[in-house]
Amino acid sequence: MRLLLDLHPDDYPLEGYRRRQLLDWVFGQGVGSFAAMSTLPADLRAELERDYLLNPFREIETVRSTDGSVKYLFTLQDGRQMEAVYMPYLDRKTICVSTMVGCPAKCAFCATGAMGFGRNLTPGEVVGQILAVAGGEGLAPRELRNLVFMGMGEPLLNYEHTMNAARILLHPLALGMSKRRITLSTVGLAKGIRRLAAEDDLGLKLAISLHAPDEETRQRIIPTGAANGIGDIMEAAREYQAVTGRRLTFEYSMLRGVNDHPWQAALLADLLSGLVSHVNLIPMNPWDGSGFESSTEAEIQTFYDVLEARGVDVSVRRSRGKDAGAACGQLALKRPNAARGEARFGAV
């Protein structure tokens, strides 16, 4: 049975206003069953029930943080598991979604990488995270206006499914998101960045997880660094900016004694020369067995000061959801105080 959410909105079953009704039930109201779509005739609902699966998930659990963020742990229909994170702010509601079960990149400081790789998620399993989180938080799906592909997985290694999911997010009859509010984070796959630049109907914001400005350090903490040298990554980044006109974000996890030296800050500033960019310094979020610890506040401040003095636009990003295992680099299916939820897709 096919997952309905895997379809592009233009390919949904039914025609004309009936298709628009179906799309509104799914993306506007976020209902959890075909039976609840009361404006559709009973025979059409029965036909949809027979031919399509609406809910990508068998089970949903939540772990709520004291800062208001919520980690969602999803059990997929095949029994595999992955996570998403809901982050409410005063001026926006953001969701961090996964594109894979686990991750093959195996960044040394990331708990998700330590899990290994399970499988790629389909477009519907990506989009379904948004609808499920909206239902769990009592929101209409279109109230979630900011999305980051920063959860489990490397989006550019699940390229086709991630791009198809993005097109569903942007479609005006689906979630109608703005491309300016969707960010894709990559560990730095130069070929994927160049391919993304050619997607002229997308123009997503791009965040590159650089984490070190010198090859020796980067290859130590990011295994993919051997196949994606810093020079090639930066060249691809410049090409992306030239094509899209987008400001680039560079993510930089602060690892004490590894990548936090002042000379590395100066080298990073050299790499970014001529780019319109922003650097997020991220204190490393702890997890058992990582073998790393976060740079101290003083070390982070020194690194920040070197970048700022060199004219780099920089900030320190304080991750949310640490106590729920929901912060950057912590997603590993941990369940501190998890509340097991119903396997519902959205509000019914």
Side-chain angles (χ1 to χ4, degrees), residues 218-289:
R218 195 167 197 275
Q219 290 185 32
R220 171 187 167 191
I221 61 178
I222 301 177
T224 58
N228 292 268
I230 292 173
D232 199 17
I233 292 170
M234 297 307 300
E235 183 179 341
R238 292 177 188 280
E239 291 173 15
Y240 188 87
Q241 185 160 91
V243 171
T244 67
R246 294 282 192 195
R247 182 180 76 162
L248 297 165
T249 297
F250 290 88
E251 310 285 357
Y252 200 99
S253 292
M254 299 295 295
L255 309 175
R256 189 174 192 192
V258 177
N259 65 351
D260 60 353
H261 302 290
W263 68 264
Q264 289 169 311
L267 184 55
L268 178 59
D270 290 340
L271 288 176
L272 301 179
S273 178
L275 277 174
V276 179
S277 63
H278 180 83
V279 175
N280 277 327
L281 302 180
I282 308 169
M284 188 253 179
N285 294 304
W287 53 277
D288 292 340

Side-chain angles (χ1 to χ4, degrees), residues 140-155:
R142 291 171 184 149
E143 289 184 70
L144 292 170
R145 307 310 297 160
N146 294 271
L147 180 137
V148 291
F149 290 107
M150 290 186 184
M152 289 182 164
E154 166 53 60

Side-chain angles (χ1 to χ4, degrees), residues 6-318:
D6 281 338
L7 300 179
H8 185 276
D10 292 343
D11 298 325
Y12 262 48
L14 312 184
E15 296 181 355
Y17 79 98
R18 290 299 189 195
R19 177 183 292 174
R20 291 192 295 273
Q21 285 180 316
L22 175 58
L23 287 165
D24 184 65
W25 280 114
V26 174
F27 296 107
Q29 302 184 54
V31 301
S33 70
F34 292 115
M37 300 178 182
S38 57
T39 59
L40 295 179
D43 61 332
L44 290 181
R45 282 181 274 163
E47 183 179 326
L48 290 168
E49 190 76 43
R50 184 190 69 232
D51 294 339
Y52 293 96
L53 181 68
L54 181 58
N55 190 348
F57 312 118
R58 278 181 12 197
E59 192 171 50
I60 301 172
E61 301 170 72
T62 56
V63 183
R64 295 188 176 269
S65 170
T66 55
D67 64 20
S69 55
V70 187
K71 180 166 72 170
Y72 277 74
L73 300 95
F74 298 107
T75 300
L76 298 158
Q77 294 295 342
D78 65 358
R80 293 183 182 270
Q81 296 180 313
M82 34 68 65
E83 300 176 334
V85 182
Y86 169 64
M87 297 169 287
Y89 298 88
L90 290 177
D91 59 343
R92 66 192 185 280
K93 298 176 178 68
T94 298
I95 180 169
C96 174
V97 299
S98 295
T99 55
M100 294 177 171
V101 175
C103 183
K106 298 183 179 180
C107 297
F109 52 89
C110 178
T112 307
M115 291 174 56
F117 174 62
R119 70 167 173 84
N120 289 331
L121 297 181
T122 71
E125 290 169 338
V126 175
V127 174
Q129 296 169 59
I130 304 161
L131 302 182
V133 169
E137 300 304 313
L139 303 170
R142 291 171 184 149
E143 289 184 70
L144 292 170
R145 307 310 297 160
N146 294 271
L147 180 137
V148 291
F149 290 107
M150 290 186 184
M152 289 182 164
E154 166 53 60
L156 296 183
L157 288 178
N158 185 17
Y159 191 89
E160 295 294 345
H161 287 171
T162 299
M163 295 306 106
N164 288 339
R167 289 185 172 91
I168 295 170
L169 302 176
L170 294 169
H171 196 284
L173 294 181
L175 289 172
M177 286 187 169
S178 166
K179 61 183 68 176
R180 296 181 178 276
R181 297 192 175 191
I182 300 176
T183 300
L184 184 147
S185 177
T186 175
V187 74
L189 305 181
K191 289 182 180 178
I193 292 171
R194 292 186 172 97
R195 188 177 178 189
L196 184 63
E199 303 283 359
D200 54 9
D201 63 327
L202 291 177
L204 307 180
K205 295 170 68 176
L206 182 64
I208 299 174
S209 295
L210 196 61
H211 301 309
D214 60 294
E215 296 287 6
E216 180 180 356
T217 302
R218 195 167 197 275
Q219 290 185 32
R220 171 187 167 191
I221 61 178
I222 301 177
T224 58
N228 292 268
I230 292 173
D232 199 17
I233 292 170
M234 297 307 300
E235 183 179 341
R238 292 177 188 280
E239 291 173 15
Y240 188 87
Q241 185 160 91
V243 171
T244 67
R246 294 282 192 195
R247 182 180 76 162
L248 297 165
T249 297
F250 290 88
E251 310 285 357
Y252 200 99
S253 292
M254 299 295 295
L255 309 175
R256 189 174 192 192
V258 177
N259 65 351
D260 60 353
H261 302 290
W263 68 264
Q264 289 169 311
L267 184 55
L268 178 59
D270 290 340
L271 288 176
L272 301 179
S273 178
L275 277 174
V276 179
S277 63
H278 180 83
V279 175
N280 277 327
L281 302 180
I282 308 169
M284 188 253 179
N285 294 304
W287 53 277
D288 292 340
S290 72
F292 295 92
E293 59 182 289
S294 176
S295 306
T296 66
E297 289 295 322
E299 289 162 341
I300 294 172
Q301 186 63 54
T302 297
F303 201 92
Y304 178 103
D305 290 343
V306 172
L307 290 175
E308 187 177 52
R310 295 285 298 274
V312 175
D313 187 19
V314 59
S315 63
V316 179
R317 192 176 82 196
R318 305 294 176 180

